[in-house]
């Protein structure tokens, strides 16, 4: 997510803002910029890359002294990470500077409207439209920046935190938020705006949390909050008792815990703007012609680790919806097995970082065989999407912890959208079917939230099993890749032996591993989906229980059959079969995280691992 900082007061704004951006670096970004008001003019400096690039520019091209300023670190969504796409964006008349965090869903319409009246836009971003709209409203409101902001916000759709300064009104910074965070730091003769408190807690620990659809105007001695219609709002003041390091994690002890908690928002953001009001798919951003999709004879997923598990989950859905065969290939194996791919193959490369060398080399091989390539990626402008024919980004925001969590859920969501799009384009799905599934997906953030509210039993269980030498994971159908993912989390975080199996495979060897006290986590399919899957896994549970296993069942609310055979039951919401991975995975993430914590290990940076494996 982007980092946002605004300041007005007695200090040098540039110093306060740049220091604040440094505090927000953990959020991940690919460009940075600042703007200040000095002597009735706007001074703006911005650069692609890390803050050091901006600071080098500021050294060679210094800003004037000023006590009013805004700053931004950008995590690219619309428009690559370049100088011209970096924020702040300035209105054509040079009057207003704006910074933005989020996605303005109706930006294309607004861009067209601005171009139609002769405005020249200078970037590829959605954010820039806000600068031009604000300057037009400033004229209409006779320079009333808060009112101009309210009028603009009423026209925007999507998720946004906006900050703006007007060269004609120094000592004023105006902010607004919808579906994106904005907090106020309340100082003595100075005030701050930021995407999170980490940016200003070295100056003040008194803060205001803004609510949905609110506009805030800060001057050195006042903070005025209204709703988008101009009605005054009493914002709640709170005291920040986190230290700076904890503030970077949003108050969580670990980035992984923060990112597990961000999963409902990550799923919602990855759906945002892709489902129309009429509940139809809108994937214009994918640049593969529908006629090409109609000719696809097979889909090949190439990925590594967690991303490969997401591909395995997607296989069940895409084959069910489109009747197109889906092969899921470990990228590191793909190009060495002389794969059969060609112009009628759609190769989907799934990668959070977009830089995994195994996946990149597999992608290049697929392209050399003439295949159409599509990336599912969380990092805009990274190598894998750049080298793919098309890309569907997951908007999970930066994933800092090495162990992938929110990326996994959003990779599944993105792959499902592609599967539904294939079904829609090829006519293998009825519109009402697609609509129903889109509604199910749209309800998943709420369901994941429900799981997050009930994680204490999972944590307690992890602490109880802290000395276990190994844990086995069983699943069937889409629960099988979930079992693999649960095992991977435990391996990479707690450094313990863990193995995931297709439950039906037990009797073909792995059951020899079962003896007294062996913990076995079972991802239980919904009894409402395919009853046979549920019945079969109940048999598997009895087989391992009879041999002394300690059975931990991940089972949906209302599934009482499991109670007779499980030593522990972790309940998840009852959801449609293909949606279960989005809720069943969360307890397994928490289990592994807690196990590693109980073992005193470095959860966010486990030994021997890198967040992005850029070597083969
Ligand atoms: C998962 O927790 C690991 N971090 C690892 O398996 C990761 O998923 C894999 O290296 C792929 O990374 P990517 O998604 O950035 O390509």
């Amino acid at each position: 997510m982007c980092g946002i900082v605004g300041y007005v007061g007695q200090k040098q704004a540039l110093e306060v803002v740049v220091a604040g951006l440094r505090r927000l670096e953990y959020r991940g970004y690919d460009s940075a910029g600042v703007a200040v008001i000095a002597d009735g003019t706007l001074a703006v400096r911005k650069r692609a890359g890390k803050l050091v690039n901006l600071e080098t520019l500021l050294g060679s091209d210094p800003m004037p002294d000023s006590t009013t300023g805004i700053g931004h670190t950008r995590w690219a969504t619309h428009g690559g990470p370049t100088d011209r796409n970096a924020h702040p964006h300035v209105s054509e008349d040079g009057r207003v500077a704006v910074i933005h965090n989020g996605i303005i869903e109706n930006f294309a319409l607004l861009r067209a409207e601005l171009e139609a009246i002769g405005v020249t836009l200078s970037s590829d971003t959605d954010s820039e439209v806000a600068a031009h709209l604000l300057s037009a409203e400033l004229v209409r409101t006779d320079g009333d920046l808060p009112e101009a902001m309210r009028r603009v916000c009423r026209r925007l759709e999507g998720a946004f935190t906006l900050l703006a300064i007007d060269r004609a009104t120094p000592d004023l910074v105006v902010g607004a938020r919808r579906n994106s965070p904005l907090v106020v730091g309340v100082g003595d003769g100075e005030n701050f705006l930021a995407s999170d408190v980490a940016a200003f807690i070295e100056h003040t620990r008194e803060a205001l949390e803004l609510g949905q659809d609110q506009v805030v105007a800060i001057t050195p001695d006042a903070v005025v909050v209204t709703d988008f219609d101009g009605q005054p709002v009493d914002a709640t003041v709170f005291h920040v008792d986190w230290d700076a390091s904890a503030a970077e994690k949003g108050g969580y002890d670990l980035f992984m815990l923060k990112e597990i908690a961000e999963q409902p928002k990550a799923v919602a953001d990855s759906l945002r703007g892709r489902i129309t009001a009429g509940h139809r798919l809108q994937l214009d951003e994918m640049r593969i012609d529908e006629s090409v999709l109609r000719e696809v004879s097979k889909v090949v997923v190439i990925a590594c680790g967690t991303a490969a598990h997401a591909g395995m989950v997607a296989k069940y859905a895409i084959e069910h919806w489109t009747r197109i065969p889906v092969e899921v290939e470990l990228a590191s194996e793909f190009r060495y097995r002389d794969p059969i791919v060609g112009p009628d193959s759609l190769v989907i490369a799934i990668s959070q970082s977009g830089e995994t060398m195994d996946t990149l080399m597999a992608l290049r091989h697929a392209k050399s065989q003439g295949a159409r390539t599509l990336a599912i990626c969380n990092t805009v402008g990274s190598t894998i999407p750049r080298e793919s024919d098309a890309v569907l980004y997951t908007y999970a925001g930066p994933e800092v912890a090495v162990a992938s969590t929110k990326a996994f859920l959003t990779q599944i969501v993105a792959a499902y959208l592609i599967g539904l799009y294939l079904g829609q384009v090829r006519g293998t799905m009825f519109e009402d079917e697609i609509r129903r599934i889109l509604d199910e997906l749209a309800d998943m953030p709420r369901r994941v939230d429900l799981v997050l509210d009930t994680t204490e039993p999972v944590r307690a269980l992890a602490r109880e099993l802290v000395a276990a030498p190994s844990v086995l994971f069983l699943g069937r159908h889409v629960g099988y890749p979930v079992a693999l993912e649960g095992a991977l989390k435990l391996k990479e975080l707690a450094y313990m032996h863990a193995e995931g199996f297709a439950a039906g495979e037990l009797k073909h060897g792995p059951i020899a591993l079962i003896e007294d006290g062996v913990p076995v986590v079972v991802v239980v399919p919904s009894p409402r989906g395919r009853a046979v899957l549920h019945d079969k896994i109940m048999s598997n549970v009895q087989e391992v229980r009879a041999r002394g296993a300690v059975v931990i069942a991940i089972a949906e609310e209302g599934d009482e059959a499991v109670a007779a055979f499980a030593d522990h039951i972790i309940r998840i919401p009852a959801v449609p079969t293909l949606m279960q991975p989005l809720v069943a995975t969360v307890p397994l993430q928490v289990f592994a995280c807690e196990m590693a914590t109980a073992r005193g290990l470095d959860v966010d940076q486990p030994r021997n691992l890198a967040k992005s494996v850029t070597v083969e």
Side-chain angles (χ1 to χ4, degrees):
M1 286 125 339
C2 306
I4 279 197
V5 184
Y7 176 75
V8 64
Q10 319 305 324
K11 300 184 179 86
Q12 279 302 315
L14 182 63
E15 284 169 27
V16 173
V17 165
V18 171
L21 292 178
R22 278 237 169 275
R23 286 279 184 211
L24 300 179
E25 279 198 287
Y26 73 88
R27 301 164 71 93
Y29 66 100
D30 40 46
S31 62
V34 291
V36 300
I37 300 174
D39 306 326
T41 65
L42 275 183
V44 179
R45 304 286 188 279
K46 54 186 186 175
R47 269 286 180 279
K50 294 305 179 191
L51 267 177
V52 64
N53 294 356
L54 176 64
E55 288 171 321
T56 303
L57 174 63
L58 290 167
S60 62
D61 184 7
M63 302 270 268
D65 288 349
S66 169
T67 57
T68 306
I70 56 177
H72 188 262
T73 49
R74 177 174 183 249
W75 174 262
T77 53
H78 294 76
T82 60
D83 290 356
R84 77 194 197 106
N85 287 337
H87 301 204
H89 290 288
V90 178
S91 55
E92 214 176 15
D93 59 7
R95 177 170 181 177
V96 177
V98 170
I99 56 180
H100 167 230
N101 180 13
I103 299 167
I104 298 174
E105 289 172 21
N106 59 333
F107 82 95
L109 187 73
L110 296 170
R111 276 184 77 104
E113 184 187 295
L114 289 164
E115 285 165 342
I117 58 174
V119 173
T120 304
L121 289 102
S122 58
S123 78
D124 311 319
T125 67
D126 55 337
S127 314
E128 185 188 348
V129 301
H132 301 301
L133 293 172
L134 270 173
S135 72
E137 292 299 345
L138 274 173
V139 173
R140 297 189 187 105
T141 60
D142 196 19
D144 182 337
L145 186 56
E147 177 55 21
M149 178 66 85
R150 285 189 285 267
R151 292 184 179 198
V152 170
C153 289
R154 292 198 294 262
R155 299 195 60 202
L156 302 182
E157 294 168 13
F160 51 86
T161 300
L162 291 168
L163 292 197
I165 52 177
D166 168 9
R167 68 183 178 196
T169 45
D171 291 336
L172 172 67
V173 179
V174 173
R177 69 164 297 257
R178 169 181 285 166
N179 296 324
S180 178
L182 181 60
V183 284
V184 183
V186 182
D188 180 7
E190 60 182 9
N191 288 304
F192 308 76
L193 292 174
S195 25
D196 77 45
V197 298
F200 57 67
I201 58 169
E202 64 182 287
H203 302 286
T204 177
R205 287 179 173 274
E206 300 314 305
L208 292 177
E209 179 84 44
L210 292 184
Q212 184 75 320
D213 288 8
Q214 291 184 353
V215 169
V216 59
I218 61 169
T219 59
D221 299 310
V223 176
V224 177
V225 183
T226 71
D227 63 17
F228 281 0
D229 295 322
Q231 294 306 309
V233 169
D234 288 333
T236 45
V237 182
F238 66 93
H239 179 80
V240 181
D241 51 16
W242 301 324
D243 63 26
S245 163
E248 288 176 0
K249 303 181 185 83
Y252 290 93
D253 292 337
L254 298 164
F255 278 114
M256 185 176 177
L257 288 175
K258 174 171 176 282
E259 288 152 13
I260 287 173
E262 286 172 343
Q263 292 185 112
K265 182 178 185 306
V267 169
D269 286 350
S270 298
L271 290 167
R272 198 181 302 284
R274 291 166 168 169
I275 302 176
T276 66
H279 302 259
R280 280 184 60 79
L281 265 181
Q282 174 177 294
L283 297 185
D284 302 347
E285 64 215 272
M286 281 204 331
R287 297 191 308 276
I288 295 187
D289 194 89
E290 289 192 7
S291 60
V292 169
L293 295 179
R294 288 192 194 94
E295 300 309 312
V296 166
S297 66
K298 81 172 171 180
V299 171
V300 179
V301 174
I302 52 175
C304 303
T306 291
H309 297 154
M312 292 174 70
V313 169
K315 170 187 170 72
Y316 292 91
I318 296 173
E319 288 186 336
H320 179 70
W321 293 331
T322 68
R323 312 314 297 153
I324 302 173
V326 178
E327 296 170 8
V328 182
E329 296 280 348
L330 291 176
S332 54
E333 288 292 313
F334 176 70
R335 66 193 180 110
Y336 300 112
R337 70 163 187 77
D338 203 8
I340 302 166
V341 290
D344 60 347
S345 307
L346 176 63
V347 173
I348 301 177
I350 303 179
S351 176
Q352 189 284 132
S353 63
E355 301 298 345
T356 300
M357 190 53 73
D358 286 324
T359 308
L360 177 59
M361 299 312 284
L363 173 71
R364 287 175 178 167
H365 181 80
K367 289 182 72 174
S368 72
Q369 303 300 304
R372 293 289 178 158
T373 56
L374 168 61
I376 291 175
C377 187
N378 193 44
T379 309
V380 174
S382 55
T383 306
I384 288 171
R386 262 209 325 271
E387 295 197 13
S388 300
D389 295 320
V391 55
L392 194 66
Y393 283 113
T394 52
Y395 293 123
E399 192 175 65
V400 176
V402 167
S404 195
T405 50
K406 59 181 182 173
F408 178 65
L409 265 58
T410 57
Q411 286 161 357
I412 292 171
V413 168
Y416 279 14
L417 292 178
I418 292 166
L420 291 168
Y421 189 63
L422 282 165
Q424 179 175 295
V425 165
R426 296 163 66 98
T428 54
M429 296 179 75
F430 294 114
E431 286 199 12
D432 56 352
E433 242 187 322
I434 293 172
R435 192 174 298 124
R436 172 179 55 78
I437 295 163
L438 289 176
D439 287 347
E440 288 168 4
L441 276 170
D443 192 34
M444 290 315 292
R446 180 180 68 85
R447 309 288 198 136
V448 174
D449 233 350
L450 292 173
V451 180
L452 291 172
D453 290 342
T454 57
T455 57
E456 193 37 50
V458 180
R459 296 181 199 287
L461 194 52
R463 292 191 293 269
E464 189 182 316
L465 295 171
V466 66
S470 75
V471 177
L472 305 185
F473 293 77
L474 303 184
R476 280 185 179 263
H477 197 260
V478 287
Y480 167 40
V482 173
L484 295 177
E485 176 60 12
L488 175 62
K489 287 282 147 319
L490 207 54
K491 278 183 261 202
E492 65 178 329
L493 289 165
Y495 313 158
M496 66 195 289
H497 174 253
E499 202 160 343
F501 299 101
E505 273 297 286
L506 261 182
K507 54 189 174 300
H508 301 289
I511 200 163
L513 291 170
I514 305 298
E515 57 190 10
D516 261 356
V518 170
V520 178
V521 177
V522 184
V523 181
V524 180
S526 166
R528 300 168 299 107
R530 280 204 180 128
V532 64
L533 288 173
H534 185 271
D535 298 346
K536 295 284 186 193
I537 215 157
M538 283 295 100
S539 305
N540 300 138
V541 167
Q542 293 172 63
E543 288 159 15
V544 297
R545 194 91 184 295
R547 290 163 176 78
V550 172
V551 173
I552 301 149
I554 311 291
E556 74 174 29
E557 292 297 347
D559 177 355
E560 295 317 322
V562 71
F565 309 111
D567 298 283
H568 306 275
I569 302 179
I570 303 296
R571 290 292 179 185
I572 55 176
V575 297
T577 296
L578 293 174
M579 299 297 150
Q580 197 191 61
L582 297 174
V583 289
T585 306
V586 177
L588 306 188
Q589 296 166 344
V590 172
F591 182 76
C593 182
E594 189 66 21
M595 181 74 84
T597 303
R599 290 186 166 201
L601 301 174
D602 183 344
V603 174
D604 284 336
Q605 304 289 337
R607 70 183 181 194
N608 308 338
L609 294 176
K611 183 58 186 169
S612 175
V613 182
T614 55
V615 292
E616 270 201 296

